[in-house]
Every structure is written in C-alpha cells, then in structure tokens.
Amino acid sequence: MIEQYDDKIIRCPRVGGDVNFKFCRSENNMFPCGWIIGCWHKRMDINKFLEDHYSNEELDRIFALPRPKVESLVNLIEQAKQRKKEKS
Amino acid sequence: MKRAMFFLDQKDMPTHWYNIQADLPEPLPPVLHPGTGQPVTPDDLAPLFPMECIMQEVSTERWIEIPEEVQDIYRTWRPTVLHRAYRLEKALDTPAKIFYKYEGTNQAGSHKPNSATAQCYYNMKEGIKRIVTETGAGQWGSALSMSGAFFDVEIKVYMVRISYDQKPYRRIAMEVWGAKCIPSPSTETQAGRDMLERWPDCPGSLGLAISEAVEEALSRDDTHYSLGSVLNHVLLHQTIIGEETRKQMEMADAYPDIIVGNIGGGSNYAGQFLPWIRDKISGEKPDLRIICVEPESCPTVTRGLYAYDFGDAVGMTPLLKMHTLGHGFIPPPVHAGGLRYHGMAPIICHLRELGLVEAVATVQLPTFEAGIQFARTEGIISGPEPCHNIRVAIDEALKCKESGEAKTILIAHSGHGHFDLAAYDRYLSGELVNYAYPEEDVKKALADLPKIPT
C-alpha cells in the first residue's frame, strides 16, 4: 500500500527541515518530489516503491528536471501574457 | 601585532557596482524562447521586475552607480570586514595566507540584502508599493522583508507551509520587519485554492510558493515579484563585496593567488570574484585562479556541458544557454539546498566556458568536516553552502604545506549557519552520507540535450 512508509522522517534540504515520506511522495502537485530517489535510496527500496505505484509515463513526468528559476519565471510571464490576450 | 581584521572606512565604501558584461571577451548568449528560438526581450520581463533592474540585466556599462539612498542603507552594515584566518593557518600548519570576506554580519545574516535593498529601491522609485516573493527556509524572505521596511515597500512572502510551521523564528523575523508572511498553499491565489481543494492539509512546496507569488504579482499593477539569485542584475548588486575586498586586500598588502567560493544561484561568489576577474581578462593577472565549488553529488559545472537546454521535459520553457546535465539528470540531495540547481547563473557558466574560472566538486562529509574545523579555529559556524569553499580553501592550503609555497587564498563567505544547526547535528551524529553521481549516468543524461530551433 502506498501509505506504508508515510511516517518515516527525513530532513528535506529544499525546505530546510524535517518532513515525512508522505510529503516526499506528494509534494510535486500530488506526485513524488523529483529528488525522492536521491533522498531515500539509502533508507528503502525507493525504486521498487515507485515502480509499484506509478506508471512509466508518470515517472517520466516526475523526474523531469526542476526548472531553474530564471526559466520558470520567463515561462510564467509568457503564460500571463497569454491569459491577458485571451481576456481581451 | 598581527592584524587579523581589515576595516574599510564607510567613506571609502564603493559607490558603483561593477558590471562584468562590459569586459566579457564574448557577450553573454541570449535567453531564447523555445517556440521561436529568438532572444527574450526586456519587455518580456516587465510584468515582474522594475525596468531599471531589467536594463541592468542587459547593460554593458562597466560601472553602474549605486543610488545614494541604497548606499545609505548599505552603510547600516557595510563595509563588511575582511579577516585573515591566522588560527586556521596555524591549525593547518601551512605557509599559505588565508583571508575571508564574511557577509554573515549583515542584520539578516547573509549577503542577500545587497540585492534585496537595491531591488526594493528601484521598485519604490517606479511607484511599486508591494513586492511579493517566495521563500523556503526563509533567508531571502528575511532579506527582502528588512529591505522593504527601509524603503516603506510592503513585502509579502509566501513561505512553504511546512517551513512556516517548523521555522517560526524566520517567520517572526520577517513579521518584525513588517512583512506579511503567509503559508503556501494559501487561499489568496487560484493556485493555492486549487491545491487546498484537492489536499486541505497540503504542506506546500517551493514550486507552489513561486506560483502563488508570481500569480499575485501579475494580478496587481502596484505589485512586482522579486528574485534573490541567478539573474544578472542580482549578481551585479553583489559586486560591492568584491569591490570592497579589493581595497581591503590592498590594505593588507596582498593580492589573491586563489579565490574560492561556492556556486548555487551564484550571487555571493560572483559578487566577490567578478571584480577580480577583470584583472585576468585584461592580462594583468593571468595566473589568478578563481575556483567555483559545487557538490560532487550535483556536478553541474564540473561535469555538465554548456548547451542550450529546455527547463522542462516537454520543452515548453524558454531555452537558456547554461551548463546543464540535460533533462534526464536527477540530482541527489545534499544539505546545502541552494547548491542543487541543475543550471546556475548564466554569467558563471559563460566564464567557465571561456576558461576564466575553474570548477571543483566536493563531497558532503568533508565539507562539514571543514565547517567544523573553521568553527573551532575562526569561531564562525558557517552555513552549509560556504562549508564547500572552506573545504577547497583548506585543501589548497594543505597543498601549499606540501610545496612550501606561501600562496594567498581568499574565501568568499556568504553567511552564518545559525538556522542550519540541525544539519550540523546530523553530521555530528553520523547521519550524513557521501554521494557522488556516477559518470556513466551523467553521460547518459547529457545525450538528451535538445537541438536549437533555427
């Protein structure tokens, strides 16, 4: 079951504090964090967990690289322009 | 008497930032739009940033005057002190001379306010009343909150909910400075509401906090967004660090053979080394070594290629020329969260590509070991990020011990680790592990880099 490891605790370097596994498997818009393998591979068979609970398509999406901030911002601006265009 | 601290009088504080773009042997490659392959223009950034910052982003003017109002704020903590690390030198039994420029004496504890102050000022001058940002552990949020208080600009910080709950002291500091700090996801944006509807107890994420901040900034004419790393204008604002250090090294009758700093978003180290690299570019100091340090677990510059890469797997985001490991690279964790970008400041990537800076990687355990040695000799408990460059500085000093050379080593030290003691606790209790990304996997990831649209 997907909740089996939910209570395990680890320090998350991104948020700078302790988090449980439930956070790690759902912080990416309800999907696992892209860093989950690196964080958990020494504590459990994380690859098996992922294979058991996610499709290959989902895994491809999960492990797409996090965007560098600058690229994300320009992208968000483009999206905002698009929204304005649609409104007008 | 051995002089261990070099103070620069406030009347001698630099009055201009140094813009490396004036002296680059080749100009920076442009940011490209993924659809058209054409350069992104300043107007594209206008909804989020003040035009002065955007123009600094592309300026090739060598010296950019620091506004008097910004200088006045800088003088509440600047110039920062240049230290000679006699006690560390003695512990290492090295003939090397080790200096460090320490930014941790800032009210917010790091170099971040050097840019936060400037950004608040330019927004205020443009009539912007509010600035919105996101924060993870709270360092950038703290810096912006303090700077907002100085310029009477309202600051709103979306803080990842789990940090908001776990790190009340950062939140309280922001509130003391007058900022509004709210947990993300919130009910104040569509992105936040959507998430809360699906998951009422959602602990948040950095990605969601950024989405909320940007959504709010774009929804109001009196509101902008602010970023504390990566962008050219942020690095520009940090060059006051290196300009001060040049004067202080002159007071010490010394010139660095080696400058060491950690790179993540790149802003602190670039702020230190950019004012020195012009001596290397001009040919005056061809042997000056500038060493960028990154974690072995995320070898962006040491092993990555310099290429155009999309920021996401489906290729929707703009193309940006930077060191990258490609889409398929899954960086493993290290404690210095700020060092984990798969791409960093384009200026640093460009200088690396031109062969003007070196890059080395360190593994996790020896970096903390160096941080502990630094704390026990110099007294400063460093943030996890500067521990990386302290490691390399120590290694270089030990090489001097072997060779008998008395090289001068300058460390760019970004700040203290008083909010990162849990990481030290994990090191001291033996919970941290080394991790290096296998060469074979790096090669595999690089094979996926996209072609540039023509």
Side-chain angles (χ1 to χ4, degrees):
Chain A
M1 75 187 175
I2 200 164
E3 297 91 359
Q4 63 183 314
Y5 301 119
D6 275 1
D7 292 338
K8 284 181 178 286
I9 303 288
I10 197 169
R11 184 177 189 275
C12 172
R14 296 183 75 203
V15 299
D18 286 346
V19 297
N20 58 23
F21 185 75
K22 187 179 180 185
F23 175 86
C24 300
R25 71 169 173 83
S26 47
E27 76 91 39
N28 181 12
N29 206 16
M30 310 289 278
F31 281 96
C33 171
W35 311 80
I36 197 167
I37 294 175
C39 286
W40 287 96
H41 77 288
K42 296 213 171 193
R43 294 179 171 219
M44 64 168 75
D45 191 346
I46 185 66
N47 287 313
K48 185 172 186 315
F49 174 86
L50 293 168
E51 282 167 17
D52 287 349
H53 298 289
Y54 302 94
S55 67
N56 284 343
E57 195 178 70
E58 286 171 333
L59 291 172
D60 282 348
R61 197 151 57 87
I62 290 162
F63 294 113
L65 262 182
R67 294 173 185 159
K69 278 186 183 172
V70 64
E71 293 186 14
S72 303
L73 290 173
V74 178
N75 193 46
L76 286 169
I77 292 167
E78 288 301 311
Q79 288 173 9
K81 281 181 179 172
Q82 192 61 37
R83 278 199 300 269
K84 273 184 186 172
K85 238 184 214 175
E86 284 167 7
K87 276 182 187 174
S88 63
Chain B
M1 183 192 77
K2 289 194 294 187
R3 191 170 175 189
M5 296 171 80
F6 297 88
F7 299 94
L8 192 64
D9 194 283
Q10 291 207 308
K11 69 177 171 51
D12 297 321
M13 188 181 80
T15 56
H16 292 70
W17 294 302
Y18 169 63
N19 183 11
I20 185 66
Q21 293 193 71
D23 291 324
L24 287 173
E26 294 171 25
L28 277 173
V31 177
L32 301 179
H33 192 282
T36 63
Q38 296 301 306
V40 169
T41 65
D43 283 348
D44 292 328
L45 297 168
L48 292 187
F49 301 108
M51 194 47 71
E52 197 68 36
C53 288
I54 295 169
M55 296 319 290
Q56 288 173 359
E57 195 67 19
V58 294
S59 171
T60 52
E61 204 178 319
R62 181 171 289 106
W63 298 102
I64 295 178
E65 189 169 7
I66 304 172
E68 195 57 50
E69 294 92 329
V70 174
Q71 289 187 44
D72 286 344
I73 301 297
Y74 278 177
R75 287 191 194 95
T76 67
W77 75 88
R78 305 208 72 89
T80 56
V81 176
L82 176 71
H83 298 257
R84 172 81 183 266
Y86 282 116
R87 291 179 55 79
L88 178 61
E89 292 170 19
K90 189 178 176 189
L92 299 172
D93 190 24
T94 176
K97 299 169 193 152
I98 304 174
F99 292 84
Y100 61 97
K101 175 77 160 173
Y102 181 53
E103 290 293 303
T105 51
N106 179 278
Q107 298 97 317
S110 78
H111 63 292
K112 296 282 187 183
N114 293 329
S115 185
T117 302
Q119 291 190 51
C120 281
Y121 169 77
Y122 288 125
N123 275 290
M124 179 271 291
K125 290 293 281 183
E126 208 170 273
I128 291 297
K129 307 288 182 201
R130 305 170 72 245
I131 299 177
V132 189
T133 196
E134 81 288 342
T135 200
Q139 194 182 55
W140 173 245
S142 298
L144 197 65
S145 299
M146 183 183 83
S147 301
F150 291 157
F151 287 112
D152 203 20
V153 174
E154 189 184 325
I155 303 295
K156 185 170 176 181
V157 181
Y158 285 92
M159 188 171 189
V160 180
R161 183 179 196 135
I162 198 163
S163 287
Y164 180 92
D165 292 338
Q166 287 180 351
K167 298 206 165 193
Y169 300 116
R170 277 287 189 197
R171 171 179 59 79
I172 293 165
M174 288 183 247
E175 289 172 352
V176 167
W177 280 310
K180 186 176 180 187
C181 177
I182 61 168
S184 168
S186 74
T187 56
E188 304 197 17
T189 66
Q190 196 56 50
R193 287 190 292 272
D194 286 348
M195 179 54 75
L196 287 171
E197 197 179 315
R198 286 190 290 159
W199 187 5
D201 297 327
C202 176
S205 70
L206 272 178
L208 183 55
I210 294 168
S211 295
E212 289 206 87
V214 171
E215 182 183 324
E216 179 165 343
L218 291 169
S219 69
R220 289 179 56 155
D221 290 340
D222 66 346
T223 303
H224 269 167
Y225 173 76
S226 182
L227 183 64
S229 62
V230 178
L231 297 177
N232 300 341
H233 71 268
V234 179
L235 272 57
L236 172 81
H237 301 154
Q238 298 293 349
T239 59
I240 189 165
I241 301 171
E243 289 302 326
E244 281 181 7
T245 311
R246 285 182 69 100
K247 294 184 177 191
Q248 290 164 311
M249 289 294 281
E250 206 174 310
M251 292 164 67
D253 196 23
Y255 190 96
D257 295 299
I258 302 169
I259 306 176
V260 189
N262 55 284
I263 46 173
S267 67
N268 173 66
Y269 187 37
Q272 177 59 266
F273 82 72
L274 292 178
W276 297 92
I277 205 168
R278 63 179 181 258
D279 294 349
K280 192 175 175 78
I281 292 171
S282 71
E284 193 185 330
K285 295 284 181 185
D287 298 327
L288 170 64
R289 292 179 61 202
I290 294 166
I291 305 177
C292 301
V293 188
E294 63 180 359
E296 176 69 25
S297 51
C298 189
T300 307
V301 176
T302 44
R303 289 199 278 185
L305 284 183
Y306 192 59
Y308 280 95
D309 188 16
F310 291 109
D312 63 357
V314 292
M316 290 302 291
T317 56
L319 288 159
L320 191 67
K321 197 173 185 190
M322 57 167 51
H323 275 273
T324 176
L325 293 169
H327 304 147
F329 179 67
I330 304 167
V334 292
H335 262 293
L339 294 174
R340 301 198 316 165
Y341 304 151
H342 86 295
M344 57 183 64
I347 282 178
I348 293 182
C349 299
H350 188 59
L351 291 169
R352 167 69 173 152
E353 186 63 16
L354 294 173
L356 291 165
V357 302
E358 302 169 38
V360 299
T362 58
V363 291
Q364 192 160 233
L365 291 183
T367 63
F368 272 94
E369 189 180 284
I372 295 282
Q373 187 168 27
F374 195 74
R376 291 177 184 176
T377 52
E378 296 299 315
I380 292 170
I381 298 173
S382 306
E385 288 91 350
C387 288
H388 286 263
N389 57 56
I390 293 169
R391 172 73 272 158
V392 173
I394 288 174
D395 291 344
E396 290 293 331
L398 291 174
K399 284 182 200 166
C400 288
K401 183 181 177 180
E402 298 242 325
S403 67
E405 293 172 285
K407 287 185 179 172
T408 299
I409 300 168
L410 171 62
I411 301 172
H413 196 305
S414 57
H416 66 66
H418 296 174
F419 290 93
D420 301 291
L421 292 176
Y424 280 93
D425 191 37
R426 293 192 70 221
Y427 169 77
L428 292 170
S429 62
E431 287 181 51
L432 292 184
V433 293
N434 281 328
Y435 189 95
Y437 208 71
E439 183 75 27
E440 195 179 311
D441 291 347
V442 170
K443 281 182 186 164
K444 198 176 161 194
L446 289 173
D448 289 334
L449 290 173
K451 289 179 181 172
I452 304 169
T454 54

